[in-house]
Amino acid sequence: MFARILKSGTFHDVVGYVTRQFHDPKEYTPDTWRIIGSENIFTTDYAKMVQSFEAIHGFMPGKENPAGHISISFDNADAPRLTNEFMAQLAKEYMEGMGIKNTQYLVVRHLETGHPHFHIVYNRVNLHGKTVDERNNYKRSDKAVKAIKDKYGLTYSPLKDKYEQKKPEFKTKISAAMYGCKSWDEFSRRLACAGIEVKFHDDRDTGKHVGVKFSDGDITLNGSKIDRAFTYRRLNNLFEFNRKHGQRQSNSVPKQPKVTIEYAPAQKPSLVGDVVEATVGAIGNLFTLGPGFDPEEQAFQNAVEKEEAKRKRKSRKI
């Protein structure tokens, strides 16, 4: 037994789908489906069913997509036990487990597929004109299905087991791909490298993305079924945050200061060095010392000239 919570819609569309109003009548004949259960619904024909739902929806006309839709499938091993009456009982217990009560619902069995299953269409506006509580629907559904399977000894679907086995793998790959990611394109490219394709649920009226699912080519999982952090809204908010945060970081990077390297003068090694420095400084650095300049020789010549000048001054006095 495996339950899938499907996209809600209008009663015209959902009731029309489960009763095959929009299918090829040559292929989907009246014996390929049958109504096996209902609550507070006139089931004489399609128009009466839609009118019954719409009458209650009229208490809250602003409620969009008022038709809730759930499909419940079973393993073929349980097929011999699945009479219409038994399926109707399972549908009733499932709705009670979901906490969907005091409302209208319709149970339709499909017989043309290779596995036993039925659909539940329910009014998201209850008989008191209030919204049906659908909080934590996925968790409620898992709990209700498990309780029914354990109560009646129904087969745990291999497909369900396969989904559960794949969840950790999907979660690891998605968590890695979303790190630091700034856009859906970047996210999709990263996951493509890990063998995961990103697909979107689009709003029927606006065409905008409202949901996201992931596929490895074998199975497809809604983001919310893997982890609540993987819903379209939360991932989109994360990418937007990363873009803004990254922009702020780039704008706040301090400019590198200009570095001025000052070289300290080398320590003067000797008196000769003092003489050379003083001499060059006195001339005003007008000349550049060439490669043939010998500072010791220059110092000696200066000393000789100084002594010669002193001797001449002394000879004049005499």
Side-chain angles (χ1 to χ4, degrees):
M1 182 177 177
F2 177 56
R4 293 179 62 202
I5 299 176
L6 304 173
K7 187 176 181 180
S8 56
T10 67
F11 293 115
H12 171 80
D13 291 338
V14 181
V15 175
Y17 170 78
V18 299
T19 59
R20 304 311 199 193
Q21 298 300 309
F22 315 126
H23 292 62
D24 185 350
K26 294 180 180 179
E27 182 179 358
Y28 296 90
T29 56
D31 61 347
T32 61
W33 64 273
R34 64 190 58 170
I35 297 172
I36 60 174
S38 65
E39 282 287 337
N40 304 305
I41 292 292
F42 291 111
T43 60
T44 51
D45 58 42
Y46 165 68
K48 290 291 185 182
M49 287 184 277
V50 173
Q51 289 170 7
S52 297
F53 279 120
E54 291 289 3
I56 300 301
H57 178 223
F59 290 132
M60 189 180 287
K63 181 70 172 178
E64 296 182 353
N65 298 319
H69 186 192
I70 300 170
S71 72
I72 297 183
S73 305
F74 299 85
D75 192 277
N76 285 328
D78 297 324
R81 302 172 55 192
L82 296 173
T83 63
N84 294 334
E85 293 74 19
F86 186 38
M87 277 189 159
Q89 177 63 28
L90 296 181
K92 183 177 181 179
E93 293 187 21
Y94 175 82
M95 293 293 278
E96 291 173 352
M98 289 287 286
I100 300 176
K101 52 188 178 181
N102 297 321
T103 191
Q104 302 163 294
Y105 68 83
L106 178 71
V107 184
V108 179
R109 180 175 187 173
H110 287 173
L111 301 167
E112 81 286 355
T113 60
H115 61 281
H117 75 281
F118 61 77
H119 292 256
I120 301 174
V121 183
Y122 66 92
N123 200 331
R124 299 175 68 208
V125 177
N126 68 24
L127 299 176
H128 304 294
K130 297 182 179 180
T131 301
V132 169
D133 183 5
E134 297 175 302
R135 291 173 295 181
N136 300 316
N137 257 6
Y138 291 105
K139 289 184 179 180
R140 290 184 187 182
S141 180
D142 288 342
K143 186 176 180 180
V145 168
K146 185 178 186 304
I148 292 172
K149 286 190 291 190
D150 291 343
K151 178 180 178 179
Y152 294 104
L154 294 172
T155 303
Y156 275 77
S157 171
L159 179 61
K160 175 68 173 179
D161 293 341
K162 191 174 186 179
Y163 273 62
E164 293 299 327
Q165 291 168 5
K166 283 290 186 79
K167 278 184 182 180
E169 178 186 342
F170 275 56
K171 185 172 183 177
T172 298
K173 292 180 177 180
I174 293 170
S175 297
M178 63 193 279
Y179 179 77
C181 200
K182 298 181 177 65
S183 71
W184 282 102
D185 285 342
E186 181 183 7
F187 182 58
S188 298
R189 290 196 303 270
R190 291 182 182 183
L191 278 178
C193 295
I196 303 293
E197 181 183 1
V198 179
K199 300 180 178 181
F200 297 101
H201 297 294
D202 294 336
D203 184 90
R204 184 182 303 177
D205 299 323
T206 65
K208 293 182 178 179
H209 298 327
V210 293
V212 64
K213 52 188 176 181
F214 304 90
S215 174
D216 65 353
D218 182 21
I219 67 169
T220 299
L221 288 167
N222 287 333
S224 59
K225 294 291 287 184
I226 302 170
D227 192 284
R228 292 303 298 172
F230 300 157
T231 64
Y232 177 83
R233 180 178 61 82
R234 292 187 177 182
L235 286 171
N236 199 56
N237 289 342
L238 172 67
F239 300 155
E240 184 176 353
F241 173 82
N242 287 343
R243 286 195 299 272
K244 292 180 179 179
H245 185 65
Q247 184 64 33
R248 284 199 299 271
Q249 279 190 330
S250 63
N251 291 339
S252 63
V253 174
K255 293 182 179 180
Q256 293 294 331
K258 292 183 178 180
V259 179
T260 302
I261 301 176
E262 296 182 359
Y263 294 97
Q267 186 177 1
K268 304 179 183 76
S270 63
L271 178 62
V272 173
D274 288 339
V275 174
V276 173
E277 184 178 353
T279 302
V280 175
I283 298 176
N285 292 327
L286 293 178
F287 303 98
T288 301
L289 302 179
F293 178 77
D294 186 342
E296 293 185 359
E297 178 64 23
Q298 184 62 49
F300 175 75
Q301 290 293 335
N302 290 342
V304 171
E305 291 176 0
K306 186 175 182 180
E307 288 296 326
E308 181 65 22
K310 287 172 64 177
R311 188 182 63 77
K312 287 182 179 181
R313 286 197 300 273
K314 187 176 180 180
S315 61
R316 289 195 193 101
K317 293 179 180 180
I318 296 175

